[in-house]
Amino acid sequence: MENEITMEHCVNLCELIKQVLASGMTIGEYVEQVRKEKGWDRVGRIYIGSYFCSHYFLHLTEWDFTQIFTYAKQADCKITLVLPVFTQKNLGSAKKFLDRLSCRFDDGIDEITVNDYGMLVYISSKYCVRVNLGRLFMKDYRDPRYPEYFNQVFSPAGFTKSLYSFIKKYRIHMVELDPTHRELDVSNKPEKVGIAIHTPFCYMTTGQICEYASIAKPLEKKFRPNMECEAECLTHHIEYELEELDPARRVIRLGRTVYFENGDCVVRGADTLREIVFSLDIIR
């Protein structure tokens, strides 16, 4: 990251909170370890929920959220709730869950990040809370195995006139990006909209089939889209060794999603930047 940029430091507990609590750590201990590793003075915000899996999101309990709310209040830390793409099968459960949480909007949760158009319209029309466009809205290719593509200075393709009008219509507060390339140029970003960058992992690909959910299933029921699970991803992950990549640039599959490490991504063209850190090593 560029030193001259004013940074807002955030810890991303999406896809991780269950693992953190199962490890015996408190939320405060985990966040403090991230803060020390990054050398930050403080953490201003925590992200909670899921970007990629509706089942993971709906496995979250009132107790999980209580741990977050308690820590955030003690640490004077804000909370962003992240919503994945829900299927028709679990959309009703998700809306009921949001209704139960709505009493905490503003009282702790002051932002919601959405990852599909339908939920954007629903949240914007029903709740009075700031809304962010999540990383799944950005469809840029992302593959570090092709150096000529990966090493270029890249401007996100989603910054178009259509997006600008879209942002104005729904009063979007922030747009979230992944470190897809060695260097990102966001100078053509929409005015009055903040930019957030996920680090050190870029999601490479995601989908509706979770191989971990198939572990205990009979052969004829394995590898089905959006199948019910027992949260097997809490105890399993896969690391890949790719000959095309520097061994230091790890590739990891967690749940439905494959990530590659790109913590040295440089972001240019923004005076302020929100850094959202996803730290796997603390609980591995």
Side-chain angles (χ1 to χ4, degrees):
M1 302 298 175
E2 291 187 299
N3 293 332
E4 62 269 21
I5 296 177
T6 301
M7 303 293 294
E8 179 187 1
H9 302 306
C10 310
V11 171
N12 184 6
L13 277 165
C14 296
E15 337 301 336
L16 286 182
I17 183 173
K18 288 285 193 180
Q19 294 91 316
V20 169
L21 295 174
S23 73
M25 299 178 71
T26 66
I27 298 300
E29 289 170 340
Y30 177 82
V31 172
E32 182 63 12
Q33 284 199 44
V34 175
R35 185 195 68 79
K36 288 180 178 179
E37 285 189 356
K38 299 295 294 184
W40 298 338
D41 292 331
R42 68 182 299 271
V43 172
R45 180 174 295 276
I46 296 173
Y47 279 64
I48 176 65
S50 175
Y51 282 92
F52 306 109
C53 182
S54 57
H55 292 303
Y56 189 99
F57 183 91
L58 292 173
H59 271 102
L60 297 176
T61 65
E62 301 287 348
W63 186 82
D64 296 330
F65 278 95
T66 297
Q67 308 311 303
I68 290 286
F69 292 137
T70 300
Y71 170 75
K73 186 173 182 179
Q74 293 172 347
D76 190 25
C77 186
K78 299 295 185 181
I79 299 172
T80 298
L81 178 67
V82 179
L83 306 181
V85 178
F86 295 102
T87 64
Q88 196 64 38
K89 179 175 66 175
N90 55 31
L91 181 59
S93 298
K95 289 180 176 179
K96 291 178 182 177
F97 191 77
L98 286 170
D99 282 341
R100 294 199 301 272
L101 271 180
S102 63
C103 63
R104 305 306 297 260
F105 294 171
D106 290 331
D107 179 22
I109 299 176
D110 68 337
E111 289 182 357
I112 296 180
T113 289
V114 297
N115 283 283
D116 69 298
Y117 181 77
M119 193 53 69
L120 169 62
V121 174
Y122 178 76
I123 295 297
S124 298
S125 63
K126 181 162 185 178
Y127 300 113
C128 190
V129 62
R130 295 192 307 195
V131 180
N132 304 330
L133 293 186
R135 59 209 301 193
L136 291 185
F137 273 94
M138 299 295 113
K139 307 298 185 182
D140 301 307
Y141 295 121
R142 48 199 72 212
D143 197 331
R145 294 174 296 177
Y146 301 95
E148 185 176 350
Y149 178 73
F150 175 73
N151 290 324
Q152 66 179 299
V153 179
F154 186 77
S155 297
F159 290 167
T160 63
K161 290 183 178 179
S162 298
L163 180 66
Y164 298 161
S165 59
F166 186 68
I167 286 172
K168 184 177 180 180
K169 179 178 180 180
Y170 293 104
R171 302 183 302 279
I172 301 301
H173 173 64
M174 185 160 289
V175 173
E176 298 180 18
L177 304 175
D178 271 273
T180 55
H181 293 71
R182 181 78 68 182
E183 186 172 327
L184 294 181
D185 181 0
V186 298
S187 56
N188 62 337
K189 72 177 185 67
E191 293 183 7
K192 299 180 181 179
V193 172
I195 295 295
I197 182 76
H198 288 269
T199 185
F201 290 96
C202 172
Y203 97 82
M204 190 172 182
T205 185
T206 190
Q208 299 303 311
I209 294 176
C210 178
E211 59 190 87
Y212 305 114
S214 295
I215 290 173
K217 298 286 193 302
L219 183 62
E220 66 275 12
K221 294 185 178 180
K222 292 182 183 291
F223 309 116
R224 299 293 187 265
N226 293 303
M227 68 167 61
E228 296 297 328
C229 69
E230 299 299 328
E232 289 86 355
C233 62
L234 303 188
T235 53
H236 298 79
H237 77 276
I238 297 171
E239 296 199 24
Y240 301 94
E241 294 183 3
L242 302 180
E243 293 182 358
E244 305 95 326
L245 291 183
D246 179 341
R249 194 176 298 284
R250 293 177 297 165
V251 179
I252 296 174
R253 182 184 183 103
L254 184 65
R256 300 177 175 185
T257 305
V258 177
Y259 305 83
F260 70 86
E261 193 167 13
N262 186 23
D264 52 358
C265 175
V266 175
V267 180
R268 304 190 187 280
D271 296 326
T272 61
L273 187 67
R274 178 180 289 184
E275 182 181 9
I276 308 171
V277 171
F278 183 66
S279 181
L280 288 171
D281 292 328
I282 293 175
I283 59 170
R284 287 174 63 213

